Amino acid sequence: MHLIGYARVSTDEQDTFAQISELRRAGCETIFEDRASGASRSRPKLASALAAVGQGDTLVVVRIDRLARSLSHLLEIVEALRAKGAYFRSINDPIDTSSPQGMLMTQMLGAFAEFERALIRERTRAGLKAAVARGARPGNPKMRARDPSAIGDLRHSLKEKHLHELVDGRLRWLPIVERLRPHLPWSLVLRRIQALKPPVRSFSERTLVKACRTLVEAGYADRVILEAAPRLAPDSRIALLVADKLNNDPDATLRSLAMWLSKDLRELTPRGGTQWSPEGVRRVISQARDLGLIAVPKSPLASPL
């Protein structure tokens, strides 16, 4: 388990010496630094820090305002870390997700964020209603006039917003795509993503392909994921799925894998049944090992319980 530090200052005139000193005292050996404003979405070192965090590691900052653009952004990062089995700690705030108290504080922050969004929606609706009552016509006058430049600006703005949303949330689902593509078809990759615990972005097969293409064009993913998938026999396909699951969750048991195949992925057994048995999963794991797909030792799978 490692402590990985992240420091940020707003301009090139400032330096991160004070933050780095505090992170060193907290036990961080690896520290990533960004120079960007708090509202900036371009933080390459933050992406590197999140990628460097592994299972059991903790991402550490001096204060939460050094990390996230907003409360919702903070919660996205915390959930992305939880999905990797990692933790988040802020030295000068009461947040340490490795403890029950820290998780409680994080959940409270999430509740406050949802309350804030509800208030904003309510105020916006009330403002629009009052404007209409005064005879105003809500909306952009140029858009109502179908001005080409206004339409072009809006399309560009929406495209940028979509890209930023994908970049912010990609750590929850893109690693799965990168592991399974192009070995498996998009339909199976989508089912693997849909089996994740929320929050995770909602995709159809078409929107998943589109999202991946957008990230590839922006330089956030390797173009190899867009290559055509080979045709696979059903048993080979399931072996690939189980191997991916085990390589990322070595402690999974035969029984939990059987439940995962049956309920989450809804994969049929070789005989067309809907319920996988631990023994059926054992045979799939043996096949995956013969194909050299599994990197974990045999011992965690000795018991079906």
Coordinates of all heavy atoms in Angstrom, one line a residue, residues 45-87:
K45 N -1.4 15.9 -14.8 CA -0.8 15.2 -13.6 C -1.8 14.6 -12.7 O -1.5 13.6 -12.1 CB 0.1 16.2 -12.9 CG 1.3 16.7 -13.7 CD 2.2 15.5 -14.1 CE 3.4 16.0 -14.9 NZ 4.3 14.9 -15.4
L46 N -3.0 15.2 -12.7 CA -4.0 14.5 -11.9 C -4.4 13.2 -12.5 O -4.6 12.2 -11.8 CB -5.3 15.5 -11.8 CG -6.5 14.9 -11.1 CD1 -6.2 14.4 -9.7 CD2 -7.6 15.9 -11.0
A47 N -4.5 13.2 -13.8 CA -4.8 12.0 -14.5 C -3.7 10.9 -14.3 O -4.0 9.7 -14.1 CB -5.0 12.2 -16.0
S48 N -2.5 11.4 -14.3 CA -1.4 10.5 -14.0 C -1.4 9.9 -12.6 O -1.2 8.7 -12.3 CB 0.0 11.2 -14.2 OG 0.1 11.6 -15.5
A49 N -1.8 10.8 -11.6 CA -1.9 10.4 -10.2 C -3.0 9.3 -10.0 O -2.8 8.3 -9.4 CB -2.2 11.6 -9.3
L50 N -4.1 9.6 -10.7 CA -5.2 8.6 -10.5 C -4.9 7.3 -11.2 O -5.3 6.2 -10.7 CB -6.5 9.2 -11.2 CG -7.1 10.4 -10.4 CD1 -8.2 11.0 -11.2 CD2 -7.6 10.0 -9.0
A51 N -4.1 7.3 -12.3 CA -3.7 6.1 -13.0 C -2.7 5.3 -12.1 O -2.6 4.1 -12.2 CB -3.2 6.4 -14.3
A52 N -1.9 6.1 -11.4 CA -0.8 5.4 -10.6 C -1.4 4.8 -9.3 O -0.7 3.9 -8.8 CB 0.2 6.5 -10.2
V53 N -2.5 5.2 -8.9 CA -3.1 4.6 -7.6 C -3.6 3.2 -7.9 O -4.4 3.0 -8.9 CB -4.3 5.5 -7.1 CG1 -5.0 4.8 -5.9 CG2 -3.8 6.9 -6.7
G54 N -3.2 2.3 -7.1 CA -3.6 0.9 -7.2 C -4.4 0.4 -6.0 O -4.7 1.2 -5.2
Q55 N -4.8 -0.8 -6.0 CA -5.6 -1.4 -4.9 C -4.8 -1.2 -3.6 O -3.7 -1.6 -3.5 CB -5.9 -2.8 -5.2 CG -6.9 -3.5 -4.2 CD -7.3 -4.8 -4.6 OE1 -6.9 -5.4 -5.6 NE2 -8.2 -5.4 -3.8
G56 N -5.6 -0.7 -2.6 CA -5.0 -0.5 -1.3 C -4.2 0.8 -1.1 O -3.9 1.2 0.0
D57 N -3.9 1.5 -2.3 CA -3.2 2.8 -2.2 C -4.2 3.9 -1.7 O -5.4 3.8 -1.8 CB -2.6 3.1 -3.5 CG -1.5 2.2 -3.9 OD1 -1.0 1.4 -3.1 OD2 -1.1 2.1 -5.1
T58 N -3.6 5.0 -1.4 CA -4.3 6.2 -0.9 C -3.8 7.4 -1.7 O -2.6 7.7 -1.7 CB -4.2 6.5 0.6 OG1 -4.7 5.3 1.3 CG2 -5.0 7.7 1.0
L59 N -4.8 8.2 -2.3 CA -4.4 9.5 -2.9 C -4.6 10.5 -1.8 O -5.6 10.7 -1.2 CB -5.4 9.8 -4.1 CG -5.2 11.1 -4.8 CD1 -3.8 11.1 -5.5 CD2 -6.3 11.4 -5.8
V60 N -3.5 11.3 -1.6 CA -3.5 12.3 -0.5 C -3.3 13.7 -1.1 O -2.5 14.0 -2.0 CB -2.3 12.0 0.4 CG1 -2.3 13.0 1.6 CG2 -2.4 10.6 0.9
V61 N -4.1 14.7 -0.6 CA -4.0 16.1 -0.9 C -3.9 16.9 0.4 O -4.3 16.4 1.4 CB -5.1 16.6 -1.8 CG1 -5.1 15.9 -3.1 CG2 -6.5 16.4 -1.1
V62 N -3.4 18.1 0.3 CA -3.4 19.0 1.5 C -4.8 19.5 1.9 O -5.2 19.4 3.0 CB -2.4 20.1 1.2 CG1 -2.5 21.1 2.4 CG2 -1.0 19.6 1.1
R63 N -5.5 19.9 0.8 CA -6.9 20.3 1.0 C -7.7 19.9 -0.2 O -7.1 19.8 -1.3 CB -7.0 21.9 1.2 CG -6.3 22.4 2.4 CD -6.6 23.9 2.5 NE -6.3 24.7 1.3 CZ -5.1 25.1 0.9 NH1 -4.1 24.8 1.7 NH2 -4.9 25.7 -0.2
I64 N -9.0 19.7 0.0 CA -9.8 19.2 -1.1 C -9.9 20.2 -2.3 O -10.1 19.8 -3.4 CB -11.2 18.8 -0.7 CG1 -11.9 20.0 0.0 CG2 -11.2 17.6 0.2 CD1 -13.4 19.6 0.3
D65 N -9.7 21.6 -2.0 CA -9.8 22.5 -3.1 C -8.6 22.4 -4.0 O -8.5 23.0 -5.1 CB -9.9 23.9 -2.5 CG -8.7 24.4 -1.7 OD1 -7.9 23.5 -1.4 OD2 -8.6 25.6 -1.5
R66 N -7.5 21.7 -3.6 CA -6.4 21.5 -4.5 C -6.7 20.3 -5.5 O -5.9 20.2 -6.4 CB -5.1 21.1 -3.6 CG -4.6 22.1 -2.6 CD -4.2 23.4 -3.3 NE -5.3 24.3 -3.5 CZ -5.2 25.4 -4.3 NH1 -4.1 25.6 -5.0 NH2 -6.2 26.2 -4.4
L67 N -7.7 19.6 -5.2 CA -8.0 18.4 -6.0 C -9.1 18.6 -7.0 O -8.9 18.4 -8.2 CB -8.3 17.2 -5.1 CG -8.7 15.9 -5.9 CD1 -7.5 15.3 -6.6 CD2 -9.3 14.9 -4.9
A68 N -10.3 19.0 -6.5 CA -11.5 18.9 -7.4 C -12.0 20.3 -7.8 O -11.8 21.3 -7.1 CB -12.6 18.2 -6.6
R69 N -12.6 20.4 -9.0 CA -13.2 21.6 -9.4 C -14.5 21.9 -8.7 O -14.9 23.1 -8.6 CB -13.5 21.5 -10.9 CG -12.4 21.3 -11.8 CD -12.8 21.4 -13.3 NE -14.0 20.6 -13.5 CZ -14.0 19.4 -13.9 NH1 -12.8 18.7 -14.0 NH2 -15.1 18.7 -14.1
S70 N -15.2 20.9 -8.2 CA -16.5 21.1 -7.6 C -16.7 19.9 -6.7 O -16.0 18.9 -6.7 CB -17.6 21.2 -8.6 OG -17.6 20.0 -9.4
L71 N -17.8 20.0 -5.9 CA -18.1 18.9 -5.0 C -18.5 17.6 -5.8 O -18.1 16.5 -5.5 CB -19.3 19.3 -4.1 CG -19.7 18.3 -3.1 CD1 -18.5 17.9 -2.2 CD2 -20.8 18.9 -2.2
S72 N -19.2 17.8 -6.9 CA -19.5 16.7 -7.8 C -18.3 16.0 -8.4 O -18.2 14.8 -8.5 CB -20.5 17.1 -8.9 OG -19.9 18.1 -9.7
H73 N -17.3 16.8 -8.7 CA -16.0 16.3 -9.3 C -15.3 15.5 -8.2 O -14.7 14.4 -8.5 CB -15.2 17.5 -9.8 CG -13.9 17.0 -10.5 ND1 -12.8 17.8 -10.4 CD2 -13.6 15.9 -11.2 CE1 -11.8 17.1 -11.1 NE2 -12.3 16.0 -11.6
L74 N -15.3 16.0 -7.0 CA -14.7 15.3 -5.8 C -15.3 13.9 -5.7 O -14.6 12.9 -5.5 CB -14.8 16.1 -4.6 CG -14.4 15.4 -3.3 CD1 -12.9 15.1 -3.3 CD2 -14.7 16.3 -2.1
L75 N -16.6 13.9 -5.7 CA -17.3 12.6 -5.5 C -17.0 11.6 -6.6 O -16.9 10.4 -6.4 CB -18.8 12.8 -5.4 CG -19.2 13.6 -4.1 CD1 -20.7 14.0 -4.2 CD2 -18.9 12.9 -2.8
E76 N -16.9 12.2 -7.9 CA -16.5 11.3 -9.0 C -15.2 10.7 -8.8 O -15.0 9.5 -9.0 CB -16.5 12.1 -10.3 CG -17.9 12.5 -10.8 CD -17.8 13.3 -12.1 OE1 -16.7 13.5 -12.6 OE2 -18.9 13.8 -12.5
I77 N -14.2 11.5 -8.3 CA -12.9 11.0 -8.0 C -12.9 9.9 -6.9 O -12.3 8.9 -7.0 CB -11.9 12.1 -7.7 CG1 -11.7 13.0 -8.9 CG2 -10.6 11.6 -7.2 CD1 -10.9 14.3 -8.6
V78 N -13.6 10.2 -5.9 CA -13.7 9.2 -4.7 C -14.3 7.9 -5.2 O -13.8 6.8 -4.9 CB -14.6 9.8 -3.6 CG1 -14.9 8.8 -2.5 CG2 -13.8 11.0 -2.9
E79 N -15.4 8.0 -6.1 CA -16.0 6.7 -6.6 C -15.0 6.0 -7.5 O -15.0 4.8 -7.5 CB -17.3 7.1 -7.3 CG -18.4 7.5 -6.3 CD -18.7 6.4 -5.4 OE1 -18.6 5.2 -5.7 OE2 -19.1 6.7 -4.2
A80 N -14.3 6.7 -8.3 CA -13.3 6.1 -9.2 C -12.2 5.4 -8.4 O -11.8 4.3 -8.7 CB -12.7 7.1 -10.1
L81 N -11.8 6.0 -7.3 CA -10.8 5.3 -6.4 C -11.4 4.1 -5.7 O -10.7 3.1 -5.6 CB -10.3 6.3 -5.4 CG -9.5 7.5 -5.9 CD1 -9.2 8.5 -4.8 CD2 -8.1 7.0 -6.5
R82 N -12.6 4.2 -5.3 CA -13.3 3.1 -4.6 C -13.4 1.9 -5.6 O -13.2 0.7 -5.2 CB -14.7 3.5 -4.1 CG -14.7 4.4 -2.9 CD -16.1 4.6 -2.4 NE -16.7 3.4 -2.0 CZ -18.0 3.3 -1.7 NH1 -18.8 4.4 -1.8 NH2 -18.5 2.2 -1.3
A83 N -13.7 2.2 -6.8 CA -13.8 1.1 -7.8 C -12.5 0.4 -8.0 O -12.4 -0.8 -8.4 CB -14.3 1.7 -9.2
K84 N -11.3 1.1 -7.7 CA -10.0 0.4 -7.8 C -9.6 -0.2 -6.5 O -8.5 -0.7 -6.4 CB -9.0 1.5 -8.3 CG -9.3 2.1 -9.7 CD -8.3 3.2 -10.0 CE -6.9 2.6 -10.3 NZ -6.0 3.7 -10.8
G85 N -10.4 -0.1 -5.5 CA -10.0 -0.6 -4.2 C -9.1 0.3 -3.5 O -8.3 -0.1 -2.6
A86 N -9.1 1.6 -3.8 CA -8.2 2.6 -3.3 C -8.9 3.6 -2.4 O -10.2 3.6 -2.4 CB -7.4 3.3 -4.4
Y87 N -8.2 4.5 -1.8 CA -8.8 5.5 -0.8 C -8.4 6.9 -1.1 O -7.4 7.1 -1.9 CB -8.4 5.1 0.6 CG -8.6 3.7 1.0 CD1 -7.6 2.7 1.0 CD2 -9.9 3.2 1.2 CE1 -7.8 1.4 1.3 CE2 -10.1 1.9 1.5 CZ -9.1 1.0 1.6 OH -9.3 -0.4 1.9

